[in-house]
């Protein structure tokens, strides 16, 4: 027993219930929005008008709903990628850069072989995106595996390098010669474009997202590999006693993690933007970290949380129409994560009614 | 390349290194007490926007600096409460602070974009010393915040190694239960160190918007907060080495900019990559070195202290 609060007390517990997790996450989201709202009203704006605009431009209309799904696709893919690394307690926070490098790999095939048929070109772009994203994640993975170099900082630093690389390409060798000097590549051919469903902007990638989430869920839960990365994450020593190679696991886990974010980048240029430009993402790779932590690394929960964060991102674009920067949603997301992290203490503690009265 | 040009590049390197120096010194004190704060990038952004906003409205750069430090000290308390009070994950909490700071600064600065500054830190020539050839131009024709940062390094060194307070801070990061057993309040020490760290990150941010490039642009710190965190590892948590590292990184940035101005045929995007590539390489090399010497990292870094687990 730790603390007496009248008739209640806080006790240590090992019990983890999914219901408790969901309730804590929901409360965290509400508190995070409330906290940001208070900050906004303190600085003289009305938070209610912001919330209204976010809802109006996300889930408030059929178009808004489809835009939420458009945002959900890259968010969910990056989060699934991040979750693979986090399972092994590898803090890969370079999903943003892996997303950009995936877009680079895909764009290479799209503009080099624009006339290939779609069933050849799309798989090539998929591979290009996955391999470039995966290799980019290997750059911090190798020093981590061999010399235990802090992967949090190194993976993050690589983001800035990838931004400059993409900027170099669209301002330089890959610039569309007929593009009136705008920093854009040529528009992708039909064969390089993931088709959309009906007349929305939502592409068929969404089915891949659901499939991947289920596959990862099963792999994490039932496969030997899923078990291995969990043991390696919990204790490197225990894993090596059991004959599991730490180095091999760091490298494969980081490659797969980066490859999934790379595919997200491929899906964005191929399905949504139809070309490569300097700015490809409003920070999907960073939001993915929040989503993954909110979903407690569970691939199926990631789908749900990605939808909520997709709505917030789509809402952020709506806020621009009433004179606020879209990046204001980062404030909401950061605040939500604060409460999630503080709330985690309730995983280990529970409040119970006092059983015996003490004298 | 003429000597005067080289001297100008070196002087500009110190200016470019100064925001890193403030932020990294702040991270040193937080990490020495045992708490990692990856929110430096976010706090620098908040410091930059608050510093610029207050400095420009009051026409006084010192008020801007003070406001930035106060606000960032307060913001860093969020991280302190989560990582000390709630014993939450420090990596995630720091990240949350960075993401939060990116959004908050964009929101606060939405009407400041493109506004001309009314108050900046100007160069102050130190009489006598600034007349020394070469050295005078590099070290003694800088702004007040540069001089203050050097004083701060000396003060940090003195406090860490010559005072009881410094001993307690270092002990809090090495062996918190011993500090607790001696009757000192480990929680107070860590809270105080995080808040001081936050204030210094705010000062680094304010330097960006009041001296380095007086203006406000969304995301203007451009990863400097992360470079500062890496610098701390490079400096093996030592204030004097932080100074050296910050100036070295500043020099690389200013070299990149000046090479562009000289019309060197390297695309500017590659020169912009330089500080990040260099930081990455340095991080790898120093981690290997530190591991060989088995020293440096505070033993309790990143581990929340809990009396019941003692």
């Amino acid at each position: 027993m730790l603390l007496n609060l009248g008739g209640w007390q806080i006790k240590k517990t090992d019990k983890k219930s999914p219901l408790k997790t969901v309730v804590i996450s929901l409360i965290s989201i509400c508190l995070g929005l409330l906290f940001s709202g208070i900050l906004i009203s303190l600085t003289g704006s009305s938070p209610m008008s912001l919330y209204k605009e976010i809802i109006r431009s996300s889930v408030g209309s059929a178009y808004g709903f489809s835009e939420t799904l458009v945002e959900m696709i890259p968010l969910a893919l990056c989060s699934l990628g991040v979750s693979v690394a986090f399972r092994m307690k590898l803090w890969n926070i370079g999903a943003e850069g892996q997303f950009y490098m995936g877009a680079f790999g895909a764009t290479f095939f799209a503009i080099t072989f624009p006339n290939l048929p779609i069933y050849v070109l799309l798989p090539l772009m998929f591979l290009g995106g996955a391999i470039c994203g995966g290799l980019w994640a290997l750059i911090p993975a190798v020093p981590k595996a061999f010399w235990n170099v802090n992967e949090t900082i190194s993976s993050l630093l690589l983001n800035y390098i990838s931004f400059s690389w993409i900027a170099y390409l669209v301002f330089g060798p890959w610039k569309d010669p007929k593009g009136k000097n705008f920093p854009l590549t040529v528009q992708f051919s039909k064969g390089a474009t993931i088709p959309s469903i009906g007349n929305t902007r939502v592409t068929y990638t969404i089915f891949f997202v659901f499939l991947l989430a289920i596959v990862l869920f099963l792999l994490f839960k039932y496969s030997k590999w899923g078990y291995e990365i969990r043991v390696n994450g919990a204790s490197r020593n225990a894993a090596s006693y059991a004959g599991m190679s730490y180095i091999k696991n760091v490298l494969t886990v980081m490659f797969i993690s980066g490859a999934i974010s790379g595919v997200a980048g491929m899906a964005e240029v191929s399905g949504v933007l139809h070309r490569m430009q300097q700015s490809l993402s409003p920070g999907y790779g960073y939001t993915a970290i929040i989503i993954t932590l909110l979903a407690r690394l569970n691939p199926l929960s990631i789908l749900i949380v990605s939808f909520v964060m997709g709505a917030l991102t789509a809402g952020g674009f709506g806020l621009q129409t009433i004179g606020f920067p879209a990046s204001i949603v980062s404030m909401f997301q950061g605040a939500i994560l604060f409460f999630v992290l503080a709330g985690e203490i309730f995983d280990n503690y529970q409040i119970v009614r006092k059983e015996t009265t003490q004298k | 390349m003429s000597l005067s040009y080289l001297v100008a590049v070196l002087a500009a390197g110190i200016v470019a290194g100064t925001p890193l120096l403030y932020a990294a010194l702040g991270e040193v004190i937080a990490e020495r007490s045992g708490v990692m704060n990856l929110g430096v990038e976010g706090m620098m952004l908040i410091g930059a926007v608050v510093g610029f906003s207050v400095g420009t409205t009051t026409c006084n750069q010192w008020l801007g600096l003070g406001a930035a430090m106060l606000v960032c000290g307060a913001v860093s308390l969020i991280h302190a409460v989560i990582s000390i009070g709630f014993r939450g994950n420090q990596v995630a909490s720091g990240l949350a602070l960075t993401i939060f700071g990116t959004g908050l600064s964009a929101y606060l600065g939405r009407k400041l974009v493109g506004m001309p500054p009314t108050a900046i830190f100007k160069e102050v020539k130190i009489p006598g010393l600034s007349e020394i050839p070469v050295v005078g131009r590099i070290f003694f024709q800088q702004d007040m915040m540069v001089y203050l940062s050097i004083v701060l390094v000396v003060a940090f060194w003195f406090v860490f190694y010559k005072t009881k307070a410094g001993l307690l801070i270092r002990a809090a990061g090495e062996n918190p239960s011993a500090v607790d057993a001696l009757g000192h309040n480990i929680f107070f020490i860590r809270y105080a160190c995080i808040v001081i760290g936050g204030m210094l990150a705010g000062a680094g941010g304010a330097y960006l918007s009041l001296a380095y490039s007086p203006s406000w642009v969304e995301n203007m710190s451009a990863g400097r907060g992360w470079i500062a965190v890496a610098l701390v590892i490079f400096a093996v948590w030592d204030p004097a080495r932080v100074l050296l590292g910050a100036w070295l990184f500043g020099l690389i940035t200013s070299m990149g900019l000046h090479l562009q101005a000289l019309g060197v045929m390297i695309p500017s995007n590659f020169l912009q990559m330089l500080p990040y590539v260099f930081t990455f390489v340095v991080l790898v090399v120093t981690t290997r070195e530190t591991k060989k010497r088995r020293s440096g990292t505070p033993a309790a870094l990143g581990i929340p202290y809990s009396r019941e687990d003692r």
Side-chain angles (χ1 to χ4, degrees):
Chain A
M1 193 246 298
L2 297 161
L3 193 68
N4 278 309
L5 298 161
W8 300 81
Q9 59 181 203
I10 297 174
K11 266 177 70 176
K12 230 178 170 163
T13 171
D14 294 329
K15 267 188 279 178
K16 267 187 190 155
S17 74
L19 183 70
K20 197 164 82 176
T21 310
V22 171
V23 170
I24 291 173
S25 295
L26 285 176
I27 294 174
S28 306
I29 291 178
C30 294
L31 286 174
L33 291 174
L34 188 73
F35 178 76
S36 318
I38 293 171
L39 276 182
I40 288 169
S41 58
L42 279 179
T43 50
S45 305
S46 151
M48 286 322 286
S49 65
L50 260 80
Y51 292 149
K52 251 188 227 157
E53 183 56 40
I54 288 176
I55 292 172
R56 197 189 65 79
S57 46
S58 59
V59 285
S61 64
Y63 176 73
F65 187 80
S66 74
E67 282 304 293
T68 297
L69 291 180
V70 170
E71 299 300 326
M72 176 190 167
I73 291 172
L75 286 173
L77 280 174
C78 288
S79 308
L80 291 171
V82 166
S83 76
V84 176
F86 280 17
R87 281 257 152 186
M88 201 177 145
K89 296 223 170 84
L90 290 171
W91 290 94
N92 171 20
I93 58 172
E96 187 80 357
Q98 291 141 20
F99 178 96
Y100 272 71
M101 294 313 276
F104 154 73
T107 305
F108 171 79
F109 288 107
I111 63 176
T112 319
F113 311 105
N115 298 323
L116 284 176
I118 189 164
Y119 51 85
V120 181
L121 188 48
L122 275 186
L124 271 180
M125 288 168 68
F126 179 91
L127 278 181
I131 291 173
C132 284
L135 289 178
W136 198 245
L138 272 188
I139 300 176
V142 168
K144 169 70 181 177
F146 290 97
W147 311 299
N148 202 25
V149 174
N150 189 321
E151 78 284 8
T152 320
I153 303 165
S154 60
S155 63
L156 192 284
L157 286 171
L158 285 170
N159 289 352
Y160 292 95
I161 300 174
S162 61
F163 302 155
S164 292
W165 171 239
I166 298 296
Y168 162 71
L169 290 173
V170 294
F171 278 99
W174 282 9
K175 186 159 70 183
D176 179 5
K178 295 186 206 103
K180 295 186 180 130
N181 226 16
F182 282 115
L184 305 163
T185 64
V186 291
Q187 190 164 0
F188 288 1
S189 63
K190 260 230 139 70
T193 305
I194 303 173
S196 301
I197 304 169
N199 47 13
T200 64
R201 298 207 306 145
V202 185
T203 59
Y204 284 96
T205 316
I206 195 144
F207 296 110
F208 174 75
V209 171
F210 279 88
L211 184 73
L212 184 67
I214 295 168
V215 168
L216 281 178
F217 176 79
L218 296 175
L219 275 176
F220 286 157
K221 197 151 188 178
Y222 298 111
S223 76
K224 180 171 164 281
W225 178 68
Y227 178 69
E228 253 187 51
I229 63 174
R230 209 164 56 235
V231 174
N232 261 302
S235 160
R236 186 178 168 174
N237 288 338
S240 59
Y241 282 130
M244 304 166 181
S245 163
Y246 177 76
I247 290 175
K248 195 188 89 193
N249 271 303
V250 171
L251 298 181
T252 37
V253 161
M254 285 292 278
F255 183 84
I256 292 169
S257 175
I260 297 174
S261 296
V263 168
M266 173 265 175
E268 195 68 10
V269 285
S270 167
V272 181
L273 301 170
H274 308 305
R275 53 160 44 105
M276 198 168 78
Q277 59 196 41
Q278 190 183 5
S279 167
L280 298 169
S281 141
Y284 295 131
Y286 300 113
T287 309
I289 299 161
I290 300 179
I291 294 171
T292 310
L293 292 171
L294 255 161
R296 306 288 161 101
L297 320 189
N298 181 323
L300 300 181
S301 312
I302 281 176
L303 293 176
I304 301 166
V305 184
S306 299
F307 180 81
V308 176
M309 289 296 178
L312 207 52
T313 310
F317 290 121
L319 286 178
Q320 283 179 316
T321 59
I322 58 167
F324 288 95
S327 46
I328 194 174
V329 294
S330 312
M331 179 165 95
F332 295 127
Q333 293 166 345
I336 290 169
L337 186 51
F338 287 144
F339 286 99
V340 173
L341 295 169
E344 267 176 9
I345 202 165
F346 295 108
D347 283 358
N348 301 324
Y349 296 90
Q350 60 180 167
I351 302 171
V352 292
R353 200 178 276 280
K354 206 182 276 182
E355 286 139 11
T356 52
T357 46
Q358 287 170 340
K359 285 185 181 167
Chain B
M1 200 188 280
S2 67
L3 178 70
S4 68
Y5 193 79
L6 190 69
V7 168
V9 172
L10 289 171
I14 289 185
V15 173
T18 299
L20 297 174
L21 179 54
Y22 277 102
L25 279 177
E27 186 66 11
V28 164
I29 189 167
E31 294 198 2
R32 277 282 177 145
S33 82
V35 186
M36 196 192 308
N37 187 353
L38 297 185
V40 182
E41 175 80 3
M43 292 189 294
M44 283 183 89
L45 282 168
I46 297 174
V49 77
V50 171
F52 185 74
S53 164
V54 173
T56 305
T57 20
T58 60
C59 299
N60 186 327
Q61 67 274 28
W62 292 101
L63 284 178
L65 172 66
M69 290 177 74
L70 272 181
V71 171
C72 288
V75 168
S76 68
L77 265 179
I78 303 175
H79 177 67
V81 169
I82 292 172
S83 54
I84 303 170
F86 285 89
R87 297 199 287 281
N89 183 321
Q90 293 176 12
V91 174
S93 167
L95 267 174
L97 189 54
T98 288
I99 294 168
F100 176 78
T102 312
L104 178 65
S105 60
Y107 165 70
L108 292 176
R110 69 193 186 284
K111 286 172 186 149
L112 301 174
V113 179
M115 195 186 267
T118 62
I120 59 170
F121 284 99
K122 289 194 193 75
E123 281 172 18
V124 178
K125 285 184 191 174
I126 295 186
L129 290 173
S130 60
E131 308 299 320
I132 306 169
V134 182
V135 178
R137 171 69 192 96
I138 297 172
F139 293 101
F140 301 111
Q141 293 185 29
Q142 300 283 9
D143 59 71
M144 284 309 284
M145 275 189 82
V146 171
Y147 302 136
L148 275 178
S149 69
I150 300 170
V151 174
L152 201 64
V153 171
V154 178
F156 258 65
W157 175 83
F158 184 80
V159 170
F160 273 145
Y161 301 113
K162 301 286 168 199
T163 67
K164 194 184 168 196
L167 184 67
L168 283 176
I169 292 171
R170 285 186 290 142
E174 296 289 346
N175 192 345
S177 47
V179 177
D180 197 8
L182 284 171
H184 297 287
N185 190 335
I186 185 87
F187 302 107
F188 173 78
I189 296 173
R190 287 188 170 176
Y191 268 103
C193 289
I194 293 181
V195 171
I196 294 170
M199 292 171 81
L200 289 175
Y207 189 79
L208 288 175
S209 64
L210 290 171
Y212 185 66
S213 57
S215 59
W216 163 253
V217 187
E218 225 178 277
N219 251 327
M220 74 185 293
S221 61
R224 284 188 181 83
W226 293 100
I227 294 184
V229 175
L231 241 170
V232 174
I233 300 174
F234 162 74
V236 210
W237 292 266
D238 180 64
R241 286 192 58 166
V242 167
L243 175 87
L244 209 73
W247 285 356
L248 186 64
F249 281 79
L251 188 62
I252 286 167
T253 312
S254 89
M255 255 169 46
L257 291 171
H258 280 85
L259 282 176
Q260 256 167 279
L262 281 177
V264 174
M265 289 310 290
I266 304 170
S268 64
N269 302 110
F270 289 107
L271 296 172
Q272 281 158 12
M273 290 180 194
L274 267 182
Y276 307 104
V277 175
F278 189 71
T279 311
F280 185 94
V281 173
V282 159
L283 185 70
V284 174
V285 172
T286 40
T287 307
R288 293 187 62 188
E289 288 298 308
T290 315
K291 217 172 135 194
K292 262 184 226 156
R293 275 181 284 130
R294 295 174 171 279
S295 68
T297 321
L301 182 61
I303 305 163
Y305 181 65
S306 160
R307 279 192 152 168
E308 46 179 311
D309 297 337
R310 190 167 57 178

